Amino acid sequence: MIKIENLHKNFGKTCACAIDTFTVNDGDLLGLVGNNGAGKTTLFRMILDLLKPDEGEVLIDDVNPAQSEAWKEHTAAYIDDSFLIDYLTPEEYFAFLAKICGMPKSLLDERLKTFEHFAGGEVLGQKKLIRNLSAGNKQKVGIMSTLLRRPRLIILDEPFNFLDPTSQNILKHMLTDYREQTGATILLSSHNLQHTIDISSRVALLEKGHIIRDIANISEEANAELTAYFEEQA
């Protein structure tokens, strides 16, 4: 699904990314973990062609995102609320996204119903502009928008941020169920180590732009290894 080769990005003298080679396989639910400044968001932005690398390339299904738009047909991402159109209501925003991808209103309405538990009665039917929603509800709008058209590749940067504990648990089930039902590939970053371990099939540990460990999440091995690493950093 995703191949990374010789990918480098510096901001001044600071190394934000230095990955020689890395592959995300079809159907992976890959969790990226690391302390602040490890390079998680920088990596996501280069995958999505929002940030140009100093050298190297990313390939999505053998397509370089910088050279073709084809990858966008099956990819959805939410990095932060700059992805939202905040002068619309959530319903208007979802209708706009549906129109772009040719989704009929009947299908849009059907899919929005599947998010009612996650939305928690605070996102849909409130007649509020997105800009006037709480940070948590903006986060929900962004996450719902990524799942709306059933993409094969989903990228979420810190999706558990701003969500209350109940919504975090609902989101964990949503993502694992979505992957099981569709076979989609999901990449997410999070500072919440336990949530990441709970749902990921693989966990990549970043440190100063380098992937220093790529751990298959089998049994308790990932939990023990990552817990030990972050305890050493404390």
Side-chain angles (χ1 to χ4, degrees), residues 11 29 83 123 130 159 161 175 178 194 205 216 221:
F11 295 108
L29 202 167
F83 277 45
V123 173
I130 292 173
N161 273 7
L175 294 177
Y178 183 86
Q194 191 57 57
L205 175 60
E221 293 176 15

Side-chain angles (χ1 to χ4, degrees), residues 7-228:
L7 193 67
H8 290 260
K9 182 66 181 181
N10 293 328
F11 295 108
K13 296 182 179 180
T14 301
C15 173
C17 182
I19 301 174
D20 293 332
T21 183
F22 189 73
T23 300
V24 181
N25 302 309
D26 285 337
D28 277 350
L29 202 167
L30 177 70
L32 296 181
V33 297
N35 290 318
N36 289 335
K40 302 183 295 294
T41 301
T42 297
L43 176 57
F44 281 168
R45 288 188 174 277
M46 287 192 288
I47 291 174
L48 295 167
D49 193 36
L50 299 173
L51 182 66
K52 300 297 182 185
D54 295 333
E55 60 180 295
E57 67 176 2
V58 174
L59 298 177
I60 300 176
D61 288 339
D62 296 322
V63 173
N64 187 327
Q67 298 174 0
S68 170
E69 300 288 309
W71 60 281
K72 293 182 179 180
E73 296 178 6
H74 57 262
T75 302
Y78 184 66
I79 303 297
D80 56 43
D81 61 13
S82 68
F83 277 45
L84 305 175
I85 304 175
D86 68 358
Y87 58 80
L88 300 178
T89 66
E91 287 87 347
E92 290 170 339
Y93 179 58
F94 295 138
F96 171 74
L97 296 178
K99 185 175 182 179
I100 288 175
C101 64
M103 183 187 300
K105 186 178 184 304
S106 58
L107 181 55
L108 171 63
D109 292 342
E110 179 183 325
R111 290 187 176 176
L112 286 178
K113 286 181 182 178
T114 66
F115 297 124
E116 287 180 350
H117 189 38
F118 181 59
E122 298 178 334
V123 173
L124 301 173
Q126 301 304 297
K127 298 182 180 179
K128 286 185 178 181
L129 301 180
I130 292 173
R131 67 168 62 128
N132 295 328
L133 296 176
S134 68
N137 287 330
K138 288 179 183 177
Q139 189 82 341
K140 290 180 181 182
V141 171
I143 292 167
M144 290 162 64
S145 72
T146 66
L147 300 175
L148 195 61
R149 59 185 177 87
R150 301 292 193 268
R152 291 195 296 111
L153 174 61
I154 294 172
I155 296 176
L156 297 170
D157 194 19
E158 297 289 350
F160 300 106
N161 273 7
F162 311 118
L163 299 182
D164 59 56
T166 297
S167 298
Q168 291 178 11
N169 283 321
I170 294 171
L171 176 58
K172 287 199 296 184
H173 289 294
M174 282 174 51
L175 294 177
T176 53
D177 289 348
Y178 183 86
R179 174 175 171 250
E180 289 173 1
Q181 293 165 9
T182 67
T185 304
I186 301 175
L187 281 68
L188 64 86
S189 71
S190 180
H191 283 112
N192 191 312
L193 185 60
Q194 191 57 57
H195 285 341
T196 305
I197 291 172
D198 285 346
I199 66 174
S200 299
S201 60
R202 290 170 67 192
V203 181
L205 175 60
L206 278 77
E207 182 180 280
K208 297 180 180 179
H210 297 78
I211 295 178
I212 61 172
R213 299 184 195 168
D214 178 12
I215 310 166
N217 195 7
I218 301 171
S219 187
E220 293 295 317
E221 293 176 15
N223 190 13
E225 187 169 344
L226 292 169
T227 298

